[in-house]
Amino acid sequence: MAEVILMPRLSDTMTEGVIAGWHKKVGDTVKKGDLLAEIETDKATMELESYQEGVLLHIGTPSGGKLQVNDLLAVLGKSGEDISAILSQHSGGASTEVKANPAPEKQPEVKKEEIKSATTDISAMDEIVLMPRLSDTMTEGVIASWQKNVGDTVKKGEVLADIETDKATMELESYKDGVLLYQGAKAGEKILVNDLLCIIGKQGLDVAALVAAVKSGNQAAPATAAAAPAIESAAAPAAVQAAPVAAPQATVINEGRIFASPLAKKIANDRNIDLKYVKGTGDNGRITKADVDQYVPVQAAPVTQVTQAHAAISAATIVPAATGTVSFEDVPVSQMRKTIARRLSESLFTAPHFYLTMSINMDAAVASRAKINETSKVKISFNDLVLKATALALTQHPKVNSSWLGDKIRYNHHVNIGVAVAVDEGLLVPVVRFANNLSLSQIAVQVKEYAQKAKDKKLQPSDWEGSTFTISNLGMFGIDQFTAIINPPDACILAVGGISQEPIVKNGQIVPGNIMKVTLSCDHRVVDGATGSAFLQTLKSLLEEPIRMLV
């Protein structure tokens, strides 16, 4: 029964692939592990190996053509097998039965007048080699060196040039035979992706006409069937050999450049197999995964003590490949998270933020809180003390308690402080209104109620609207210091860290002190550095002498 091969997804962002070149033609017998085609994705050119056996009965598109992911790429089956039903299924009914073993088609010669035509598809010409995209971020390549000069004979698989990309230096192999007739740049020069790299053809070809056609912009597609990159670094380190002395019985099969599939190279490297001893059964002696799997190393002859030491050192440097399972979960963005992302992005990229950090000695606040909680019916937290001190400081510095409204600045006479509360879905900021007029107990009650309502998802829009200033406290999570993004339309936000014991100087002696760091994020359109600093000085004085808040 015929086997269908669909265009695979060869990268996480791939939506379509371009056939850089077919290595089998219709009618050819295909073995498991044979190279079927080179496919150019949005990130690299990849080799596609066959995992089935049979006769190639159909190809979905010729070299240079595009296919969407999961489109029909090829059909393998028995010689003479009827595949019209498969073609009908994958082409909406317009199918043509492909007979096995067809006569090879003669490629039409490119005429000079066709080259000059405005509709000429330059990328479809076998002679044209364009600069390929050798990495996902590459926009241009530098010719590190040419391995072939103009006039040299080029064979399929030989390295044309070393191309320096933005990530590495790569070898560019030729996928056709011919003579190198033209180079698009000299060593050390840059060529943009899809610009003319070189021309390979027969002697006597009108090179000037081809170059003129390319430069005039007659390029229909960025893909080229003439060459595809060998995705390996020119400077890649050789595989570490556990036994550097080759067994005398082993026979060298592959001399010079070794042709093997990427998977075969990887497996050989992992198993410490030297591919020059492995016989390839693929096209032109190409080594496949099956060849490496079936290779049995020849038993090494006894080695000397020095050789054994070297082998032990080499073996010790081999790092086993990491194993694991790629796993993830895509979760749709909630409406709350969308709102947070939109508002804070607008704030950060619209308001010019600057930050002021101050250390506050909380010794007196720690002692005062302990005494207050001895008699208070409501437990007072350090956050309640910070909120009360902030509210009083804002009454003395109205510029910090303000809003940017575009063509005017609003200086608020009331003090409504937003308190950031973390919930599972994100962050809510309920507002403690007229905080400067509330006692510590009243503030504590409101903050606790808001926190519970936030966790129960019972906050109403009226609960989080109308803030004039915001406090974000991460001290209870062990955070010493951080910066916060302004909650619009407020002009400032105070980031409060935890209280930690640090050495301080008191009465000429170094003693432990309870230090809390706060950072004020300011919108520079409204608040200047001096204004923000004055506010922090007032806040510091109130927290270092809490009794002033009770007057």
Side-chain angles (χ1 to χ4, degrees), residues 54-75:
V55 176
L56 183 58
L57 303 178
H58 174 81
I59 60 175
T61 185
S63 296
K66 293 182 181 180
L67 287 176
Q68 300 293 315
V69 171
N70 293 328
D71 278 357
L72 180 63
L73 177 64
V75 179

Side-chain angles (χ1 to χ4, degrees), residues 287-521:
I287 300 172
T288 66
K289 173 181 179 294
D291 298 328
V292 178
D293 289 337
Q294 296 171 6
Y295 174 72
V296 178
V298 179
Q299 181 65 36
V303 294
T304 64
Q305 184 176 1
V306 175
T307 305
Q308 290 175 344
H310 289 173
I313 294 173
S314 298
T317 61
I318 297 175
V319 180
T323 60
T325 301
V326 176
S327 177
F328 56 86
E329 178 184 5
D330 292 330
V331 179
V333 179
S334 67
Q335 292 303 313
M336 179 185 295
R337 181 55 64 183
K338 286 181 181 178
T339 302
I340 292 172
R342 176 179 55 81
R343 285 174 56 84
L344 295 186
S345 295
E346 290 174 356
S347 174
L348 185 61
F349 296 116
T350 301
H353 286 53
F354 74 92
Y355 310 96
L356 301 171
T357 300
M358 181 172 283
S359 296
I360 300 175
N361 187 334
M362 295 290 286
D363 285 347
V366 170
S368 298
R369 173 176 174 268
K371 291 183 178 180
I372 291 173
N373 282 332
E374 289 178 0
T375 57
S376 176
K377 295 180 180 180
V378 180
K379 186 177 180 180
I380 306 299
S381 68
F382 287 111
N383 191 63
D384 299 331
L385 291 172
V386 171
L387 196 151
K388 177 63 176 179
T390 299
L392 295 176
L394 288 173
T395 60
Q396 300 181 42
H397 303 276
K399 289 184 178 180
V400 178
N401 190 46
S402 59
S403 305
W404 174 264
L405 301 180
D407 58 347
K408 58 187 175 183
I409 298 175
R410 174 171 295 171
Y411 295 106
N412 299 294
H413 300 149
H414 59 287
V415 177
N416 289 351
I417 297 181
V419 181
V421 177
V423 295
D424 291 340
E425 295 83 4
L427 196 68
L428 293 174
V429 188
V431 179
V432 178
R433 303 180 189 281
F434 310 110
N436 57 313
N437 297 328
L438 298 178
S439 66
L440 283 172
S441 298
Q442 290 172 318
I443 290 174
V445 170
Q446 283 200 29
V447 171
K448 287 181 175 60
E449 288 179 353
Y450 279 143
Q452 190 59 49
K453 289 174 69 175
K455 292 178 181 178
D456 296 339
K457 299 181 180 180
K458 293 182 179 180
L459 283 176
Q460 300 299 311
S462 58
D463 294 330
W464 63 68
E465 294 174 347
S467 68
T468 61
F469 188 92
T470 305
I471 293 176
S472 180
N473 190 342
L474 294 179
M476 66 285 293
F477 298 106
I479 302 300
D480 294 327
Q481 179 183 341
F482 69 103
T483 58
I485 300 175
I486 297 170
N487 180 35
D490 300 352
C492 297
I493 184 171
L494 185 69
V496 182
I499 299 174
S500 59
Q501 285 205 333
E502 297 180 10
I504 61 173
V505 177
K506 182 179 291 186
N507 299 324
Q509 299 293 324
I510 297 179
V511 296
N514 293 288
I515 302 300
M516 180 181 73
K517 293 182 180 179
V518 296
T519 299
L520 182 69
S521 303

Side-chain angles (χ1 to χ4, degrees), residues 33 47 49 253-254 258-265 268 274-293:
E47 296 180 342
E49 293 183 356
I253 298 174
N254 305 301
I258 298 175
F259 294 92
S261 71
L263 182 58
K265 292 179 181 178
D274 193 335
L275 291 178
K276 68 181 180 181
Y277 301 116
V278 180
K279 180 176 177 58
T281 60
D283 297 338
N284 301 318
R286 185 171 178 274
I287 300 172
T288 66
K289 173 181 179 294
D291 298 328
V292 178
D293 289 337

Side-chain angles (χ1 to χ4, degrees), residues 26-48:
V26 173
D28 285 354
T29 299
V30 179
K31 297 180 180 179
K32 186 176 180 180
D34 282 355
L35 179 61
L36 278 179
E38 300 279 341
I39 298 178
E40 182 181 344
T41 73
D42 58 332
K43 291 188 174 180
T45 299
M46 317 287 284
E47 296 180 342
L48 180 66

Side-chain angles (χ1 to χ4, degrees), residues 54 56 70 90 112-113 119-120 129 150 207 209 233 259 269 271 280 285 297 307 331 350 372 410 424 521 538 543:
L56 183 58
N70 293 328
H90 289 273
K112 184 175 180 179
E113 54 269 21
T119 58
T120 301
V129 180
V150 173
V207 175
S233 173
F259 294 92
N269 184 59
R271 298 179 183 176
T307 305
V331 179
T350 301
I372 291 173
R410 174 171 295 171
D424 291 340
S521 303
T538 301
L543 287 173

Side-chain angles (χ1 to χ4, degrees), residues 32-367:
K32 186 176 180 180
D34 282 355
L35 179 61
L36 278 179
E38 300 279 341
I39 298 178
E40 182 181 344
T41 73
D42 58 332
K43 291 188 174 180
T45 299
M46 317 287 284
E47 296 180 342
L48 180 66
E49 293 183 356
S50 175
Y51 288 89
Q52 298 155 350
E53 295 185 353
V55 176
L56 183 58
L57 303 178
H58 174 81
I59 60 175
T61 185
S63 296
K66 293 182 181 180
L67 287 176
Q68 300 293 315
V69 171
N70 293 328
D71 278 357
L72 180 63
L73 177 64
V75 179
L76 293 177
K78 296 180 180 179
S79 180
E81 185 175 355
D82 184 5
I83 61 171
S84 58
I86 294 176
L87 299 183
S88 177
Q89 177 184 354
H90 289 273
S91 61
S95 64
T96 303
E97 183 176 351
V98 180
K99 301 295 183 182
N101 303 320
E105 298 181 1
K106 185 177 181 180
Q107 297 295 330
E109 294 183 359
V110 180
K111 298 180 179 180
K112 184 175 180 179
E113 54 269 21
E114 292 176 344
I115 294 173
K116 294 181 178 179
S117 169
T119 58
T120 301
D121 184 357
I122 298 299
S123 65
M125 297 179 184
D126 283 345
E127 293 83 4
I128 297 297
V129 180
L130 305 180
M131 171 62 78
R133 187 183 301 276
L134 300 174
S135 77
D136 52 342
T137 57
M138 175 181 172
T139 59
E140 64 184 12
V142 177
I143 307 298
S145 64
W146 282 102
Q147 302 300 322
K148 294 290 183 179
N149 299 318
V150 173
D152 288 353
T153 299
V154 179
K155 294 183 180 180
K156 182 179 179 181
E158 289 185 335
V159 177
L160 285 173
D162 293 327
I163 309 295
E164 182 181 344
T165 74
D166 57 335
K167 292 186 176 179
T169 298
M170 320 285 280
E171 292 181 341
L172 182 70
E173 295 180 355
S174 174
Y175 282 82
K176 67 164 290 166
D177 297 331
V179 177
L180 182 59
L181 303 175
Y182 175 84
Q183 294 176 340
K186 297 178 181 179
E189 293 182 347
K190 297 179 181 179
I191 298 182
L192 295 176
V193 170
N194 294 328
D195 276 3
L196 178 61
L197 178 63
C198 64
I199 297 176
I200 300 175
K202 297 179 180 180
Q203 289 287 5
L205 184 69
D206 192 344
V207 175
L210 282 175
V211 174
V214 174
K215 290 185 177 180
S216 64
N218 297 329
Q219 182 178 331
T224 175
I231 307 302
E232 58 180 284
S233 173
V240 179
Q241 299 296 323
V245 180
Q249 299 91 341
T251 302
V252 176
I253 298 174
N254 305 301
E255 295 281 2
R257 185 172 179 82
I258 298 175
F259 294 92
S261 71
L263 182 58
K265 292 179 181 178
K266 181 180 185 303
I267 294 174
N269 184 59
D270 292 343
R271 298 179 183 176
N272 198 28
I273 296 174
D274 193 335
L275 291 178
K276 68 181 180 181
Y277 301 116
V278 180
K279 180 176 177 58
T281 60
D283 297 338
N284 301 318
R286 185 171 178 274
I287 300 172
T288 66
K289 173 181 179 294
D291 298 328
V292 178
D293 289 337
Q294 296 171 6
Y295 174 72
V296 178
V298 179
Q299 181 65 36
V303 294
T304 64
Q305 184 176 1
V306 175
T307 305
Q308 290 175 344
H310 289 173
I313 294 173
S314 298
T317 61
I318 297 175
V319 180
T323 60
T325 301
V326 176
S327 177
F328 56 86
E329 178 184 5
D330 292 330
V331 179
V333 179
S334 67
Q335 292 303 313
M336 179 185 295
R337 181 55 64 183
K338 286 181 181 178
T339 302
I340 292 172
R342 176 179 55 81
R343 285 174 56 84
L344 295 186
S345 295
E346 290 174 356
S347 174
L348 185 61
F349 296 116
T350 301
H353 286 53
F354 74 92
Y355 310 96
L356 301 171
T357 300
M358 181 172 283
S359 296
I360 300 175
N361 187 334
M362 295 290 286
D363 285 347
V366 170

